[in-house]
Amino acid sequence: MRKHTAIFLILLIIAAIPVVFMTACGKTELERSYARIADYRPVMLEGEGDGMRVTVISGVREDPYAADGKSSREKTDYTVITLTGPGSSEEIPASFVAGDREVEVMLSPHPFRDGYSAEIPVRLDDDTCQLDITVNGKTLTASSQLPGVDGEYALTLARETLPDDGEIILRLTRNSVTGNGRYWYVSFRTESSSSSMLIDAESGEVRVVRT
């Protein structure tokens, strides 16, 4: 009886091995690297109208966020709205719909530059291409096309090119010099070193590598 029980248990273990292996292999690079993610920002929308300009960025990051080379396992969803050109007042009410949830927020004067901003613990879907935001009763549409290559591609390419160690920062961003074109910024950072690269978000070509 004991012999039969032992054989049965061994067969169960052997049968489970492919399932575990397939589950691990079935994960994406982002899923496998989730514990190391310090900031993943795949959404960047822009729009203007009625003399105002709005920018929306959204993703997930460690909580609390600190560029120290060690990513916390605690994560928080976030969306940041930045508004310029609405005139002068203490706060500006804004609202939008994320999924099946209506979000209301007060935009406050930006701490570092002209305009107003707010951060809320809400994450937009990674494939969000448009967001209608009501500001003081006026609707602004922030939009953008999906990039030609996604964050999964950018992270995979970076892991093949850079020293793959430490926390990971992966952000869809604009060219900070010309303001034209979108890039994936990927960085691996430890307590003592960092490396990074810029990948053209449309073509997938590597533009800059720093190690």
Side-chain angles (χ1 to χ4, degrees):
M1 181 68 178
R2 290 181 179 176
K3 181 178 180 181
H4 290 165
T5 301
I7 292 174
F8 178 70
L9 289 173
I10 290 171
L11 290 174
L12 281 178
I13 293 171
I14 292 174
I17 288 175
V19 175
V20 174
F21 179 75
M22 288 175 65
T23 301
C25 289
K27 290 184 176 180
T28 66
E29 286 292 329
L30 282 166
E31 290 171 336
R32 284 192 288 270
S33 304
Y34 187 77
R36 293 173 53 198
I37 294 289
D39 187 8
Y40 172 48
R41 190 181 76 195
V43 176
M44 183 182 67
L45 310 173
E46 299 169 304
E48 56 186 316
D50 292 312
M52 296 180 284
R53 182 172 181 81
V54 64
T55 301
V56 180
I57 58 175
S58 186
V60 60
R61 64 185 173 208
E62 65 179 351
D63 185 27
Y65 177 76
D68 57 5
K70 299 179 295 183
S71 178
S72 169
R73 288 186 175 273
E74 297 296 323
K75 313 292 183 185
T76 184
D77 296 337
Y78 72 91
T79 294
V80 177
I81 300 173
T82 304
L83 183 74
T84 57
S88 59
S89 60
E90 289 299 317
E91 291 184 318
I92 296 175
S95 63
F96 61 93
V97 175
D100 57 357
R101 175 181 177 185
E102 184 170 359
V103 181
E104 296 183 349
V105 63
M106 296 299 293
L107 304 177
S108 302
H110 197 286
F112 306 119
R113 55 179 182 264
D114 293 339
Y116 297 79
S117 66
E119 178 174 331
I120 48 179
V122 171
R123 179 178 178 180
L124 303 178
D125 291 340
D126 289 6
D127 59 355
T128 299
C129 294
Q130 179 175 311
L131 187 68
D132 293 328
I133 304 173
T134 301
V135 180
N136 269 343
K138 298 178 180 179
T139 300
L140 296 176
T141 298
S143 63
S144 108
Q145 294 182 340
L146 287 177
V149 297
D150 59 13
E152 179 74 12
Y153 173 93
L155 180 57
T156 301
L157 181 56
R159 296 187 79 167
E160 294 172 352
T161 309
L162 301 173
D164 183 13
D165 196 15
E167 66 179 6
I168 300 170
I169 297 172
L170 176 59
R171 296 171 178 156
L172 185 62
T173 186
R174 278 252 176 239
N175 184 321
S176 59
V177 177
T178 66
N180 297 320
R182 293 182 299 174
Y183 299 87
W184 284 104
Y185 169 78
V186 192
S187 175
F188 298 104
R189 182 174 298 167
T190 68
E191 294 180 80
S192 58
S193 64
S194 66
S195 58
S196 62
M197 63 192 304
L198 281 179
I199 301 169
D200 190 301
E202 310 312 325
S203 67
E205 296 180 5
V206 176
R207 298 302 188 190
V208 179
V209 175
R210 292 192 178 119
T211 57

